[in-house]
Amino acid sequence: VSYDMKHLRQAVDRQIPSAPADEARLKDILGEISEKKQPRRARRTGFLSAAAAVIVVILTFLSILPDGPGQDHVGGPMSMGAGSEPRETAQPKETALPSAASESVQAENDEDMSLYQSWYSPDWGASMFPDEKEFGDVIIRKQEDGSLAFENKDGSEALPGRWQQAFAYFVTSGTGLVGNGEALALLGKDGLITDFTYKSLQYMGNRAAFVQTNQGTLSGLTLISVADGGYLNGKFYDEIGYTGDGKTTLFMGVRREMIQLEDGGVAVDRILSTDVMDTTGRIIVRCHELSSVHDGVLGVRMQENSDILLLDMDGNELYGGQEFFMVGDRRNGLQIVLAKGGWGVLNEDGSWALEPGMYSSVRFGSDSTFIITDYEDMTREINLQGEDVSSASLKLRMAVKKAAEKVNAWLDSFGLLGKIILIAAAWLLAVRHGHALRARETRHMLVTEAGWAALIFGLLLISHRETWEALRLWPTNTDTSGSLDVAWAYGILASGGLISMIGCWKWMRTPVRALIAGSAVLLIPWAIKCVFADMSVKDWRILSEIVFTVFLLLSVLLMKAGFVRRFLEWCKTLDTINEYGLWRRILWYALTLAAFVNFALGTYLSGQGMSESSLHTEILPGGGTAYDAAWMAEINETCAKWRASGEELDSYLTDGNWETFHTVRWMEENDIDRLTRDMIYRLSVSGTIELKREGMAQLYFYANDPGVRFLSMQSPVAKDGRIRCDSVILVPPDMEPMPEICATVSVTQPQIDWIASQRYYEIDMSTVLQDMGGVEGEDAKPIPGAADASASIIGGADSPASILVESSSASVIGGADQPTSILVK
Amino acid sequence: MDVEQMFMKYGAAMLRHARLMLGKDALCEDAVQEALLRIMRTSSAPRDEAHEKAWLLTVTGNICRDFLRRRNRRREVAIPEWFDLPSGEAVPEEEVSLQDRDARLVQAVMNLPVKYREPVLLVYYHELSSKDAAQAMGLTGTAFRSRLMRAREMLRDALGEEILL
C-alpha cells in the first residue's frame, strides 16, 4: 500500500470537514475588527492595565498623603481661637467661622454647636434654602413668595415669613437667630424675642454670642446672651476670641494702647495688653497675648517675645512657673508643650510623661495615646510607655512612605543621569506604546503600560514631596519652589501621553517620524525647565502671561477657523485608539487628560511660586508664633556648647566645631531651600528685613542665642510685600550692630503703623555684606536727630515697598537702589 | 485587493492552517484574528496577487508558532482533539480501506513535530511552491528542502509504507 502525498489535501478535508460555521466565523472576525472591537485578549490586558494603574495611583497618593490631621502645624498643634490670628485679620467678619481648633473643642463640649455647624451657612439665601428644614424645636419653612417662616413644632408661628433673603445663624433648643445681612432677630419658643441691628454675629456656646454692632457710637464687638438678647458685660472690643472648654466660655478682648515712654525723650513704644476674662467680665489675667485655652488652662505670654506661661482659671501659675515656647492640647491632665529641647508631654504634677527632644511633633491620638513624628519624619502612635500602638492604616502609610523615601533617595542619587534615564525611558515607552497600540500587539501594550505606570510612580516619587507641599499650601500659602520640577516631571508624562497618541496616528508609520515628533514634544517641558528656571521673577511673569495670552488667542482663532472640526477629523485618524474597548478607551483618555491637567497645574503653581514669592508668613511684630523643636534644640545646644567653650564663635567654628552646625539636618547643603521654608513656616522668626534695592530684600534670622543669627541672600519682594527667601548663611556674632529687630515690609496698615512707631538706625549694609565672611566691620550709627524720627512705608500693592524715615534733620529713603538702606529697629 | 477582500478569499485557508497547526482550539480563531490585525497594519503586503495566499499563510504560521511556543512554555501538550478515529460502523471494503488510509495519513502528518508538519502542510495541503513555502517559513530553499525531506522520512517511518510524492 502506498500513500500519495498529493492526496493529502483531500484526505485532510475528508477527515476534517470544514465546519459550516467557518465562513460565519471569518465574517465575525472581520466584523469584530471592522466594528473596532479589540481582541478578547486585549480587553483582558486593558482590565489588567486599569487595575495596575489604579493600584499605582492609590499607592502614590498614599505615599504623598500627610501623616494625619494637624500636620499642617508641623511644629505641633495650635490651640488658638480667633485671637491667634494676625491682628488685622482677627476682626470677625460676617462670614467668619470659628477656627478649626476652636471648632473641635467647641463641638465636643457644646451639643448645640454640632447643630450649628451642621447647617450654618452665611450665604444661604432664601432661594438656596430647602423647602423645609427642622432645627431643634424650630421648623424653618420656605413660603410661596420665597421668604422664610419659622414655626414651632406644634405648628404655631414663631416668626412670620417676612425675611426675604434671610439666612439663619443658628438655632439652639428653642432659640434661633436669623438675619438678612443688616438686621438680626432672636427667636424663642414663643416667637420673636427681639430685633437687632447688628452687622454680624457668631455663636459662642454657653448661650452666648458675640456680635458686631453699628448702633450709633457703639461700634465694635460685644457679647450678647442668646437667651434674651441682652448685653453680657456691655463692653466693646477690637476683637474677640473664644474657646469652649465645657465649663466656661472665655472672651478675649484686646485693647491696643499707645503708651509714651519718656526715656530721654527718645523712645516711643507700644504696649499691647490683653485682658482675659470670663463671661462675667472678671479679668483673670492681663497679659500680652492669650496663646491657648485648653481644659481650663490658659497659655499666656506676659510680655512681647516672652515664652508661654500656663495659668489656671484663677490666674495661678502652673508647673512651677515654667515657661514654654509653645503650648499644645491638653487632655486628662496631660499637657503637650514645646519646651527647651523639643516637644514633650507634661503630667499634672509637672513631671514629664514624654520627655522632650525625641519628637519633632506631638499631638493627641486618643486621650492617652499620642501621634508623634520623629526626626526622620516618620509618624506613629504611642502610648505613655512609649510603645507603638499605631493603627494598621498608619503603619501601612508609614511603610509606603518609608519605601517611597528610599526609592526617592535612590532615584535622587542618580541625579542628572537618573533624570536622563527617565526621560529616555519615557520616550521609548511612549513611542513603543504608540506602535503597540497601532499594531494591537497586546503583549507589548501590557508591557509598555506597566512600564509607563512604573515611570509615573518613579516621577511622582521624585516630586511627591514638592508636589504635596505645593498643593498643601496652594493657593493661599504658596511655597512652590519645587514645583518647577513637578511641572517638568508632569510635562514629561503629558508629553509621553501625547507621543503615544501621536504614535497611533497613521502618519506615524515610521520610527523616524515617531522619533522626530516624540523628541519635539518632549522638548516642550525641557524648554520650560531650562528657560524659566533662571529667569527673573518679573521676566517669568511677563513671559508666562504672554504665553498664556497667545495660547488663549490662538485657541479662539483656531476654533473660529473650524479648529474643532479639524481636530475631530484628526482624531479620526487615531484609528487604533478608537478600537479600544470602552473602559480602556476611557482610561486612556483620562490618564492623558490627567497628565495634561497636572502639567498645567504644575506650571501654574511654579508661576505662582516664582511670581508671588513663597514667603507667606509675614514676620509679625513680636516674631512668629511657632518654633521648630528640633531646629531650636540643636541650635541652642550648639550655642550652649559654644558659650561653654568660652571661645569666640569665629574661632569656635573654625576649630572643627563648624561640623556641629553643618550636620544639623536643615543645614545640609541640598536642604537649604527647605531650611528657609521651614524657618519661615515653622520657626519663631525673629528677623529683620532690609530693602536692598527695588524688589529685593535681605532677611536676618535669629536663634534664641543672640550671638547666632543667619543672614539670607537677597530675596525678591513680591507685590504684596511678601518675600521669597532662598538661602541663608551663618553670620558671626561680632558683626554688630545687629539690633534685635522684628519688622515686616508687608504693607498692611497696622504694620505700617507699627513700624512708624519704632526707632530707626541707619546702616550701610553694603559694608556689612562685604564683611559677611567674618571680617570685622560695621558702620551703624543712629540717624541724626532720630529722637523725633518717624517712618512710613512708601509704595504698596503696585510698587515695591520702601521705608521713608523722616526727622527734623534728616530724611532718608531706604530701598529702591539707594546705597544706604534702612534697618528697622 | 484590499485586506478585507483578501481575507474573505483566503480566510478559510488561514483558519484551516491554524487548525492544522494548533489543533481544535479556541486559539485558532485568536490566531487568525491576530494575523488579520497584523496584516492590516503592515505595509509589506505583496504587490502581486499570486503571492497573497503564501503571505497570509506566512503570517498565520508565524502567529501559530508563537502560540505553540507559548503553550509549550506552559508545558501543555498539543493534542489534536479534532482528529476523530474512524468509526467502527460497517462500511464497504473499498471505503474502509480509503477511509483508513486517509486517517492514517492525516494522523501521521499531525503527529509530526510542528517544524516538520508545517512544510508538509504548506506544500501538500496548501499547494504552495517550494519557494513560497520556504519564504513562508522564513527558511532558505536548501533548509526548507532538507526539512521537507526529513518530514517525509518521518512519515515513512510512521506509516511503514511507501510514500508517493
Side-chain angles (χ1 to χ4, degrees):
Chain A
V1 180
S2 61
Y3 292 90
D4 189 347
M5 292 300 290
K6 289 177 181 170
H7 294 155
L8 179 63
R9 182 183 179 86
Q10 289 83 347
V12 170
D13 287 345
R14 274 198 293 270
Q15 288 294 319
I16 318 166
S18 293
D22 276 2
E23 195 172 338
R25 278 305 304 144
L26 289 177
K27 286 182 179 170
D28 282 350
I29 290 171
L30 194 59
E32 276 186 20
I33 293 173
S34 299
E35 289 164 16
K36 304 186 187 310
K37 288 181 181 173
Q38 60 176 343
R40 279 169 291 176
R41 281 152 37 75
R43 283 199 291 275
R44 284 203 301 271
T45 305
F47 282 117
L48 284 175
S49 303
V54 168
I55 290 169
V56 165
V57 168
I58 290 171
L59 286 175
T60 302
F61 277 93
L62 273 176
S63 71
I64 66 173
L65 276 178
D67 298 332
Q71 271 306 103
D72 286 353
H73 301 295
V74 181
M78 288 291 289
S79 55
M80 297 286 291
S84 67
E85 296 171 11
R87 299 286 184 256
E88 64 275 13
T89 61
Q91 292 282 349
K93 297 181 178 67
E94 199 163 296
T95 58
L97 282 170
S99 71
S102 295
E103 274 180 11
S104 62
V105 176
Q106 194 99 346
E108 285 174 8
N109 301 310
D110 191 333
E111 60 179 7
D112 292 338
M113 278 305 292
S114 60
L115 187 62
Y116 158 70
Q117 289 169 352
S118 68
W119 66 282
Y120 174 90
S121 173
D123 296 326
W124 271 357
S127 59
M128 296 171 62
F129 200 85
D131 288 345
E132 181 177 315
K133 205 164 176 69
E134 183 177 321
F135 299 105
D137 296 336
V138 179
I139 298 168
I140 304 176
R141 181 169 290 135
K142 187 191 278 188
Q143 306 295 295
E144 286 182 1
D145 61 359
S147 64
L148 298 177
F150 294 72
E151 295 176 1
N152 296 314
K153 272 190 174 173
D154 59 7
S156 61
E157 192 178 59
L159 187 72
R162 62 185 171 87
W163 296 91
Q164 288 285 358
Q165 299 300 318
F167 50 90
Y169 283 99
F170 62 84
V171 176
T172 65
S173 301
T175 306
L177 270 159
V178 295
N180 60 0
E182 294 179 357
L184 301 170
L186 181 66
L187 305 175
K189 283 182 180 175
D190 300 326
L192 183 67
I193 295 176
T194 183
D195 283 79
F196 300 89
T197 53
Y198 295 142
K199 285 163 78 175
S200 65
L201 166 147
Q202 277 202 38
Y203 181 55
M204 303 283 294
N206 287 3
R207 301 283 185 270
F210 68 80
V211 296
Q212 186 169 15
T213 177
N214 55 2
Q215 287 186 355
T217 58
L218 297 177
S219 63
L221 299 169
T222 191
L223 306 168
I224 63 165
S225 161
V226 294
D228 57 9
Y231 295 120
L232 274 177
N233 59 12
K235 294 183 178 178
F236 291 85
Y237 303 97
D238 294 333
E239 60 185 84
I240 297 177
Y242 57 92
T243 57
D245 58 6
K247 298 172 186 173
T248 311
T249 300
L250 287 175
F251 305 126
M252 182 175 70
V254 175
R255 274 182 300 117
R256 296 172 185 273
E257 295 177 355
M258 292 292 293
I259 297 179
Q260 197 79 23
L261 297 181
E262 298 296 332
D263 182 12
V266 176
V268 176
D269 209 341
R270 161 174 296 191
I271 292 177
L272 299 177
S273 95
T274 299
D275 295 335
V276 182
M277 295 170 287
D278 62 15
T279 50
T280 66
R282 179 179 68 94
I283 295 176
I284 297 171
V285 64
R286 172 166 289 182
C287 58
H288 170 70
E289 179 189 355
L290 177 64
S291 173
S292 64
V293 181
H294 278 301
D295 201 16
V297 174
L298 313 174
V300 296
R301 292 183 198 275
M302 299 308 290
Q303 294 173 346
E304 192 175 356
N305 286 333
S306 70
D307 292 331
I308 297 170
L309 187 64
L310 293 174
L311 307 175
D312 64 15
M313 299 300 287
D314 295 321
N316 301 317
E317 291 180 358
L318 297 174
Y319 305 117
Q322 286 186 77
E323 292 188 342
F324 307 99
F325 298 143
M326 198 171 157
V327 179
D329 285 346
R330 178 185 173 88
R331 285 187 198 173
N332 294 339
L334 295 168
Q335 176 71 55
I336 297 176
V337 293
L338 175 60
K340 186 172 183 179
W343 285 97
V345 179
L346 280 168
N347 286 318
E348 193 99 50
D349 59 5
S351 61
W352 288 105
L354 284 182
E355 292 278 349
M358 297 163 67
Y359 314 112
S360 61
S361 77
V362 178
R363 64 182 188 277
F364 276 105
S366 66
D367 284 348
S368 57
T369 64
F370 302 91
I371 295 173
I372 57 94
T373 304
D374 60 26
Y375 291 138
E376 291 179 355
D377 215 20
M378 301 304 291
T379 300
R380 62 183 191 275
E381 189 168 1
I382 61 170
N383 58 21
L384 280 170
Q385 287 72 45
E387 296 162 348
D388 189 346
V389 291
S390 303
S391 63
S393 65
L394 181 61
K395 283 180 179 171
L396 174 66
R397 272 190 310 183
M398 286 303 109
V400 171
K401 185 177 178 181
K402 204 165 190 173
E405 290 286 347
K406 281 185 180 172
V407 178
N408 192 18
W410 178 74
L411 288 171
D412 273 351
S413 68
F414 282 91
L416 181 63
L417 177 65
K419 287 177 179 174
I420 290 172
I421 289 171
L422 283 174
I423 293 170
W427 178 82
L428 284 171
L429 282 171
V431 172
R432 188 65 193 89
H433 187 255
H435 280 295
L437 267 172
R438 194 147 44 83
R440 301 167 183 83
E441 295 168 340
T442 52
R443 188 177 54 185
H444 289 132
M445 278 196 279
L446 178 62
V447 170
T448 50
E449 281 165 8
W452 195 251
L455 189 74
I456 290 173
F457 194 47
L459 286 170
L460 283 176
L461 282 174
I462 283 180
S463 59
H464 78 275
R465 191 168 56 195
E466 289 78 8
T467 309
W468 174 245
E469 277 291 303
L471 292 177
R472 185 171 68 85
L473 299 171
W474 181 81
T476 52
N477 300 333
T478 306
D479 180 353
T480 54
S481 55
S483 58
L484 204 63
D485 281 335
V486 178
W488 177 63
Y490 282 134
I492 291 174
L493 291 180
S495 305
L498 191 60
I499 293 168
S500 196
M501 288 186 74
I502 289 173
C504 303
W505 193 12
K506 279 180 177 172
W507 181 79
M508 297 282 290
R509 285 186 187 280
T510 67
V512 175
R513 289 179 183 176
L515 176 69
I516 294 169
S519 302
V521 174
L522 265 184
L523 277 177
I524 296 170
W526 181 257
I528 290 174
K529 167 81 175 173
C530 293
V531 172
F532 292 158
D534 297 324
M535 287 178 69
S536 71
V537 173
K538 194 175 175 183
D539 292 342
W540 201 98
R541 189 161 51 201
I542 291 171
L543 183 67
S544 60
E545 284 171 0
I546 289 173
V547 167
F548 281 111
T549 307
V550 169
F551 174 76
L552 283 173
L553 281 173
L554 275 178
S555 302
V556 173
L557 287 173
L558 285 171
M559 287 178 81
K560 275 185 76 79
F563 173 71
V564 173
R565 183 176 53 79
R566 289 180 191 179
F567 178 73
L568 290 176
E569 283 174 1
W570 179 78
C571 284
K572 286 180 187 171
T573 67
L574 299 176
D575 54 343
T576 50
I577 289 238
N578 293 326
E579 289 159 17
Y580 268 1
L582 176 66
W583 289 108
R584 192 184 173 90
R585 210 158 59 211
I586 290 173
L587 177 71
W588 170 247
Y589 281 119
L591 284 177
T592 307
L593 181 66
F596 276 105
V597 168
N598 280 326
F599 181 38
L601 182 62
T603 307
Y604 173 72
L605 286 174
S606 66
Q608 287 273 307
M610 293 193 70
S611 61
E612 293 190 7
S613 95
S614 62
L615 199 155
H616 81 287
T617 304
E618 294 153 356
I619 305 173
L620 294 170
T625 56
Y627 292 82
D628 180 287
W631 191 81
M632 294 307 297
E634 287 165 352
I635 279 289
N636 289 327
E637 186 182 349
T638 307
C639 290
K641 285 180 184 172
W642 160 54
R643 291 290 187 202
S645 72
E647 296 179 59
E648 292 297 321
L649 183 58
D650 268 355
S651 58
Y652 182 77
L653 293 179
T654 54
D655 200 22
N657 291 312
W658 168 252
E659 290 301 316
T660 311
F661 277 92
H662 189 65
T663 54
V664 174
R665 63 186 169 87
W666 40 263
M667 280 299 285
E668 288 170 10
E669 188 179 359
N670 59 1
D671 215 2
I672 216 81
D673 268 358
R674 185 168 163 269
L675 160 65
T676 51
R677 287 206 304 275
D678 286 357
M679 288 171 72
I680 302 308
Y681 289 136
R682 305 181 191 173
L683 304 181
S684 173
V685 178
S686 297
T688 66
I689 297 170
E690 186 227 358
L691 302 171
K692 290 304 296 176
R693 58 185 174 83
E694 183 176 356
M696 299 298 284
Q698 196 100 32
L699 283 82
Y700 294 85
F701 304 102
Y702 290 82
N704 269 6
D705 192 309
V708 181
R709 57 185 165 271
F710 298 88
L711 174 66
S712 78
M713 298 295 101
Q714 286 195 26
S715 307
V717 180
K719 278 182 177 176
D720 60 1
R722 294 182 300 170
I723 299 169
R724 179 188 174 87
C725 182
D726 291 313
S727 57
V728 295
I729 61 168
L730 188 67
V731 181
D734 54 356
M735 228 168 67
E736 294 294 343
M738 295 293 284
E740 294 177 28
I741 296 166
C742 303
T744 178
V745 292
S746 185
V747 282
T748 56
Q749 192 57 44
Q751 290 156 347
I752 291 174
D753 293 343
W754 184 84
I755 289 172
S757 69
Q758 309 305 306
R759 290 172 292 177
Y760 292 86
Y761 286 88
E762 178 189 7
I763 294 178
D764 182 356
M765 283 304 295
S766 61
T767 309
V768 176
L769 287 173
Q770 286 166 7
D771 293 338
M772 280 192 311
V775 181
E776 289 184 5
E778 46 79 12
D779 288 323
K781 56 184 181 294
I783 294 174
D788 58 348
S790 64
S792 57
I793 289 180
I794 303 171
D798 294 320
S799 65
S802 300
I803 297 176
L804 171 65
V805 179
E806 292 178 309
S807 72
S808 58
S809 58
S811 179
V812 181
I813 296 177
D817 295 326
Q818 298 295 315
T820 299
S821 302
I822 302 301
L823 269 181
V824 185
K825 180 174 183 181
Chain B
M1 193 184 296
D2 67 18
V3 173
E4 286 189 22
Q5 288 173 321
M6 232 191 308
F7 183 70
M8 291 312 294
K9 186 174 179 183
Y10 298 114
M14 291 167 70
L15 196 58
R16 200 85 170 145
H17 191 55
R19 283 202 180 134
L20 292 171
M21 292 278 285
L22 299 172
K24 190 177 180 180
D25 193 317
L27 279 178
C28 295
E29 290 175 9
D30 275 356
V32 171
Q33 194 176 48
E34 199 155 321
L36 179 60
L37 290 169
R38 200 173 284 187
I39 288 161
M40 288 174 99
R41 58 100 176 169
T42 190
S43 55
S44 58
R47 295 181 188 281
D48 56 319
E49 292 189 12
H51 293 95
E52 279 175 355
K53 182 181 179 185
W55 178 60
L56 293 176
L57 292 176
T58 301
V59 178
T60 309
N62 289 341
I63 288 170
C64 288
R65 279 194 294 277
D66 283 349
F67 279 22
L68 285 169
R69 269 197 293 271
R70 220 171 296 162
R71 194 161 63 181
N72 289 341
R73 275 203 297 273
R74 293 199 294 262
R75 298 178 187 281
E76 292 173 11
V77 179
I79 300 171
E81 298 170 18
W82 49 270
F83 188 76
D84 299 321
L85 288 171
S87 68
E89 291 175 14
V91 288
E93 190 177 308
E94 280 186 11
E95 283 189 31
V96 169
S97 169
L98 179 65
Q99 199 173 48
D100 188 48
R101 212 166 51 227
D102 283 351
R104 280 168 171 269
L105 177 60
V106 172
Q107 191 166 27
V109 169
M110 297 312 298
N111 281 341
L112 288 173
V114 174
K115 66 184 285 191
Y116 297 110
R117 192 194 315 162
E118 192 176 4
V120 171
L121 290 172
L122 288 172
V123 171
Y124 296 111
Y125 183 81
H126 293 296
E127 297 171 343
L128 298 185
S129 68
S130 290
K131 188 181 172 187
D132 286 348
Q135 263 186 339
M137 291 187 67
L139 299 173
T140 63
T142 310
F144 179 79
R145 280 192 295 276
S146 166
R147 195 173 289 189
L148 188 59
M149 191 179 298
R150 174 75 183 128
R152 286 184 199 132
E153 284 171 8
M154 291 169 78
L155 281 175
R156 194 172 293 123
D157 291 345
L159 296 169
E161 305 288 348
E162 185 185 350
I163 295 178
L164 300 176
L165 301 177

